[in-house]
Amino acid sequence: MSAASVAAGGSTTALRLRSLTWTVFVPMVVYGIGSGAAAPMYALRALDLGASAGLAGVVVALSGLGMVLTDLPAGRIVAVIGERGAIAVGSVFGVGGVLAAIFAPNVAVLALGMVLNGAAGAVWGLARQTYLVAVVPAGDLGRAMSTLAGSMRLGFFCGPFLGAAMVHVLGPNGALWLQLASTALAGVAMAAIRSADAAGATTARISLGAVMIEHRRTLGTLGLAALLTGAARAARLALLPLWAAHIGVSASTTSLVFGVAGAVDVLMSYPSGVWLDRYGRRATGVPSMILFAAGFGVLPFTSSVLGLCVAAVLLGLANGVSNGLIMTVGADVAPDAQRAEFLGAWRLTHDIGMFAGPVAVGAISAVTALGAAALALALAAAGGAYAMHRWFPGVIGHTPQRRPGHDEAG
């Protein structure tokens, strides 16, 4: 499937996106299934190896560190060997990370596996994003990005249910075996794409530092909103279960609440893309951050399952509305000549937030109270809403930067 054929794959948006189903979207569902099944098991694997609860939390957080450390190198990998080659590299990282976790004789090897998993996510994510930027018409980019992100979220939502039987038989490693199989299968499926940015192979390479300096204003303004979005997204996963335990909600009930919020998140995936393309990035991003602020703000005042569910649904709705937002804005402003390198730096701003959010929850809670962490996150989300209102592009046709060869996207 060539880039040209994909971009012109039909007279309607549905047909254009449908042409990416088996090479992009379905593999992402498969990849998400393994990730969702394994995500809650890594902490248990660390405990099995003798780690304390605190150390187990640190080990799990190393996946985020792996993404942060790899975002910039991932941009260079994609620029040099193309999307297809980068997917192969990411698959090797992912398979190696899961194998290290399965056969880890101690916590140190498990920690290495977590870093490799994060590196795989960074390389995979950037390769997918740069491919879509190259082959999807600018006016449909919001729907493409939201469908991509929604595919991952759908798989992540289904993963724990599909992996339950393997966990019952094999313990935590059962879910890790499922992740190993899904990573390999998704990598093979996505290898069917052809690297879309053929011109990138002949373009003179510039240093990553030079890219960051040249685009420092964009990364410092729009990137601030991306960082705060990443912090809100990741912090909700750390804060909600802690608050549930604080008010005495059982683990099984907490899981059910998460399931309801996750369903709301997934159901919003495609509508959020339609809004991105129809009403613009600002009109989608600002409400999503207001919803994050409302969810975090109401959480300290809840003391029952119903109240917890309201806060969780608000946060799930916020996450769903923001689905694909950051990737789409990055695609809007990415310069064609430095697309992969710039998007690596752009993803870094978001992933720093993803790593810092849970750390902030722990740090604030340690010196004050858990409710104070929630209120601090509400203020941060409100700041993100202001940053998006101030710097994000508005309706289609009003982006900060035009991508040559396409209509303006907003």
Side-chain angles (χ1 to χ4, degrees):
M1 182 190 304
S2 69
S5 65
V6 172
S11 59
T12 66
T13 298
L15 185 58
R16 283 191 292 264
L17 296 185
R18 193 180 304 125
S19 67
L20 298 168
T21 297
W22 293 104
T23 54
V24 178
F25 301 137
V26 169
M28 282 315 303
V29 175
V30 174
Y31 185 79
I33 286 172
S35 298
M41 296 298 119
Y42 281 110
L44 301 181
R45 181 75 179 110
L47 295 176
D48 286 346
L49 293 173
S52 65
L55 180 57
V58 171
V59 170
V60 171
L62 290 177
S63 178
L65 179 62
M67 294 184 70
V68 169
L69 294 176
T70 314
D71 277 326
L72 291 178
R76 179 51 52 85
I77 290 171
V78 173
V80 172
I81 65 176
E83 294 90 357
R84 186 175 184 177
I87 287 167
V89 171
S91 299
V92 170
F93 284 166
V95 168
V98 178
L99 286 174
I102 291 173
F103 296 107
N106 52 53
V107 175
V109 176
L110 176 61
L112 175 62
M114 295 305 297
V115 172
L116 286 174
N117 278 339
V123 177
W124 260 65
L126 186 61
R128 297 188 308 264
Q129 185 178 7
T130 56
Y131 181 71
L132 288 184
V133 172
V135 303
V136 174
D140 302 333
L141 202 53
R143 272 162 282 195
M145 292 297 183
S146 65
T147 303
L148 175 66
S151 299
M152 177 68 178
R153 292 181 186 186
L154 175 61
F156 200 89
F157 174 71
C158 296
F161 300 102
L162 298 177
M166 296 185 68
V167 173
H168 179 72
V169 174
L170 300 175
N173 272 350
L176 303 192
W177 281 111
L178 177 59
Q179 185 183 26
L180 179 68
S182 69
T183 299
L185 181 60
V188 170
M190 284 198 70
I193 70 170
R194 297 179 182 176
S195 292
D197 194 8
T202 58
T203 301
R205 304 261 70 89
I206 65 174
S207 71
L208 297 173
V211 171
M212 296 184 72
I213 291 173
E214 180 179 349
H215 301 285
R216 61 188 179 277
R217 178 173 176 80
T218 299
L219 295 172
T221 54
L222 280 74
L224 173 62
L227 186 151
L228 292 172
T229 303
R233 287 170 167 174
R236 86 188 198 284
L237 298 177
L239 185 59
L240 277 173
L242 292 175
W243 188 260
H246 175 70
I247 63 176
V249 177
S250 68
S252 58
T253 302
T254 300
S255 180
L256 181 60
V257 169
F258 262 77
V260 172
V264 172
D265 185 349
V266 172
L267 288 173
M268 289 303 301
S269 295
Y270 190 75
S272 68
V274 174
W275 294 338
L276 276 170
D277 288 331
R278 184 170 298 171
Y279 302 113
R281 289 33 167 170
R282 184 189 305 125
T284 305
V286 172
S288 74
M289 296 307 288
I290 291 174
L291 286 167
F292 271 122
F296 286 126
V298 76
L299 189 63
F301 303 100
T302 64
S303 57
S304 65
V305 173
L306 179 60
L308 177 69
C309 194
V310 169
V313 167
L314 280 172
L315 293 171
L317 183 61
N319 203 50
V321 172
S322 71
N323 185 46
L325 172 68
I326 302 305
M327 289 193 296
T328 305
V329 173
D332 288 338
V333 299
D336 279 354
Q338 306 157 5
R339 179 184 299 146
E341 294 94 339
F342 175 84
L343 289 177
W346 174 254
R347 290 180 65 90
L348 178 62
T349 62
H350 177 266
D351 290 345
I352 287 174
M354 290 282 289
F355 179 61
V359 173
V361 170
I364 296 172
S365 301
V367 298
T368 56
L370 196 58
L375 294 176
L377 288 166
L379 290 174
Y386 172 77
M388 289 181 181
H389 176 74
R390 174 69 178 82
W391 290 303
F392 268 26
V395 296
I396 292 177
H398 294 83
T399 56
Q401 203 168 332
R402 184 193 296 266
R403 288 195 289 133
H406 295 292
D407 297 330
E408 288 185 358

